[in-house]
Amino acid sequence: MTSHRGHQAFRLGLFLLPSSALLSGICLFVACVSGSRGRDCPVWQDRWTQPFLVASLLMLLGSLGAETGSLAWAGLGNWLPFFWAFWAFRPHLASELQRRQAAWMLVAGTLPVLLTGLGQMFLGWEGPWQLGGGAIIWFVAPGGEPQGRLSGLFDYANIAGAWLGVVWPLMLAAVLRPDRWWRRGAALVLTLSTVFAVLLTQSRNAMGSLALAVPFVLGPMQWFWLLPLLLLLASPLFLVVLPGVPPGWRQLAMAVVPEPILERLLERGGPTAWKHTRLGQWGYALELVAARPWLGWGAAAFSVLYPIYAAKRWHGHSHNLPLELAISHGLPVMLLIVGTVLLLLVVALRRGILQKAPMERAWWTATLVLVAMHATDLPFFDSRLNILGWTLLAGLAAFNQEVGETPEPRPDRDGPEAAPEPGAP
């Protein structure tokens, strides 16, 4: 039976997630145990979890003969525990109220990311800072990591940008939702601070997520004026990066775009610099997939083989999740996992999630943003982003069950959360 304490542990885990993977992990493990008990539908009968179980078996089989040896087995830790969490989180996200409360915890938990990020950029803050005898350690690099780019509580600016870009739709929904003025005011301050912090990360994915999220969170009724405005605002970026643009127009656009962002967009380098771009990495990744398409090479294969055979520079991954999955575990695993994630998005869309309350729209949008980011980067290798992603996917599966399928009976229906308390968010 899913207990009230299990729900509390789940929310606390989400609040602590960006600040401490250890403390958050303990809370969320308690929530997983609680969410696994008393379920009418066991994990192997759940339709949304079945593809992940099949993928698990194929991953284990592929690891037996993997070229990367023990790295292949260690790499399973990025997947197998989270398949369980995807199923076990769902009782804690079974209603709109529970998803909204979870979103509030993620928004509130982002405040330390913003404070430490802005502090490192403008006040020279420098870690490590320890709390609770080392239970929480914040490594804050002065001036950001890499230098000049906001990273906050994360190891790298792109990861910080990914977190902020995914939580940004939830913040925007908190501003739009009718509520007390002080709550909406606080959400507005967080939202504007997040936009500023994302620009300081100089992460292209994160900056793109700001524009991608707005039309979906506002809802289709606003698209007739919003989409042309977004295209107009983004036109300087398009003129800089798209081929065939007249030189005069390109120079004008380059004068408008800030220099740090311009450097990130153009990826300037010598005559062989293309080998180190996404296109060069993806080309070699396709060669690896073609060589071992069924069970893959094993986890971390790209990071081992790329600097030896393709370029004299190390890269930890292929910067594309479908390719990374196909390299490490084979095409069948890639199709099972990526196909299920996309199906979750499509089914929720068909069941009218964009016509629901702002936070429901924002939940779907945050998932879309994280999926889009994994087309050109792999932030899920950070455990906090990985947990965030599977939480969002579990919420979508819960929405699909609640709206269009026969939902599991919620054990907490007669418990403390049967109805929202007065003044509940």
Side-chain angles (χ1 to χ4, degrees):
M1 183 175 185
T2 307
S3 67
H4 181 55
R5 289 184 178 179
H7 291 307
Q8 290 178 321
F10 179 70
R11 294 192 203 103
L12 181 60
L14 294 184
F15 175 75
L16 294 172
L17 184 54
S19 299
S20 172
L22 173 63
L23 295 181
S24 173
I26 293 172
C27 293
L28 293 175
F29 177 77
V30 171
C32 281
V33 173
S34 173
S36 300
R37 297 172 60 188
R39 300 279 290 270
D40 287 353
C41 179
V43 63
W44 57 86
Q45 291 182 2
D46 180 74
R47 286 184 290 176
W48 287 112
T49 313
Q50 285 172 347
F52 298 138
L53 297 180
V54 176
S56 300
L57 295 176
L58 292 175
M59 287 176 162
L60 291 169
L61 181 62
S63 297
L64 293 174
E67 293 292 322
T68 53
S70 60
L71 289 176
W73 295 100
L76 297 180
N78 288 318
W79 296 101
L80 303 191
F82 297 99
F83 295 159
W84 172 48
F86 167 76
W87 176 75
F89 283 168
R90 227 173 302 162
H92 307 298
L93 297 165
S95 68
E96 180 184 344
L97 172 63
Q98 289 173 312
R99 291 189 290 274
R100 187 166 70 246
Q101 290 172 335
W104 274 109
M105 291 298 101
L106 291 170
V107 168
T110 302
L111 182 59
V113 179
L114 293 172
L115 289 177
T116 55
L118 296 175
Q120 76 180 164
M121 298 299 292
F122 296 106
L123 301 176
W125 288 0
E126 180 178 0
W129 301 332
Q130 296 189 25
L131 297 173
I136 299 178
I137 302 177
W138 288 353
F139 296 96
V140 179
E145 180 59 43
Q147 188 64 218
R149 296 175 58 191
L150 183 147
S151 55
L153 298 180
F154 294 89
D155 296 332
Y156 196 72
N158 284 355
I159 305 300
W163 178 276
L164 295 173
V166 173
V167 177
W168 148 259
L170 306 178
M171 292 182 175
L172 189 58
V175 176
L176 296 175
R177 182 176 180 269
D179 207 335
R180 296 169 184 171
W181 67 268
W182 61 270
R183 281 182 176 170
R184 297 184 71 182
L188 179 60
V189 171
L190 281 175
T191 302
L192 296 177
S193 301
T194 298
V195 173
F196 185 50
V198 163
L199 295 178
L200 291 176
T201 67
Q202 300 178 31
S203 166
R204 291 163 291 187
N205 274 342
M207 289 186 284
S209 71
L210 297 180
L212 175 63
V214 172
F216 294 109
V217 177
L218 292 186
M221 294 297 294
Q222 310 297 327
W223 288 1
F224 74 95
W225 64 269
L226 183 61
L227 293 180
L229 177 61
L230 290 175
L231 288 174
L232 178 63
L233 294 175
S235 58
L237 302 178
F238 294 141
L239 293 175
V240 168
V241 300
L242 293 178
V245 175
W249 290 16
R250 189 184 299 274
Q251 290 299 321
L252 181 62
M254 291 172 67
V256 174
V257 179
E259 183 62 27
I261 297 176
L262 194 63
E263 290 288 339
R264 294 282 297 157
L265 288 173
L266 296 179
E267 288 189 313
R268 292 165 175 161
T272 62
W274 68 271
K275 293 182 179 180
H276 309 297
T277 65
R278 300 290 192 268
L279 292 178
Q281 295 159 16
W282 294 343
Y284 183 65
L286 290 172
E287 294 179 19
L288 291 176
V289 173
R292 298 190 66 165
W294 299 113
L295 295 176
W297 296 78
F302 185 88
S303 63
V304 172
L305 299 174
Y306 179 78
I308 298 175
Y309 299 106
K312 302 301 181 182
R313 182 186 297 182
W314 183 84
H315 278 288
H317 51 74
S318 59
H319 290 91
N320 178 273
L321 182 58
L323 285 176
E324 189 72 19
L325 274 170
I327 293 167
S328 300
H329 305 291
L331 286 171
V333 168
M334 183 272 286
L335 292 173
L336 285 166
I337 294 176
V338 175
T340 303
V341 170
L342 295 179
L343 190 62
L344 278 166
L345 284 165
V346 171
V347 170
L349 189 63
R350 289 175 60 89
R351 289 176 178 167
I353 197 168
L354 293 186
Q355 281 73 47
K356 301 294 182 180
M359 197 59 80
E360 294 284 79
R361 300 198 299 265
W363 194 282
W364 185 90
T365 303
T367 312
L368 176 67
V369 165
L370 191 56
V371 168
M373 285 181 175
H374 281 87
T376 57
D377 204 355
L378 294 182
F380 90 99
F381 279 128
D382 182 279
S383 61
R384 292 164 288 183
L385 267 295
N386 205 353
I387 293 171
L388 175 61
W390 287 103
T391 301
L392 293 171
L393 292 173
L396 279 189
F399 171 85
N400 289 337
Q401 282 188 317
E402 182 183 27
V403 174
E405 303 173 8
T406 302
E408 291 186 51
R410 295 209 304 274
D412 62 316
R413 190 166 291 172
D414 299 320
E417 296 184 9
E421 299 177 3

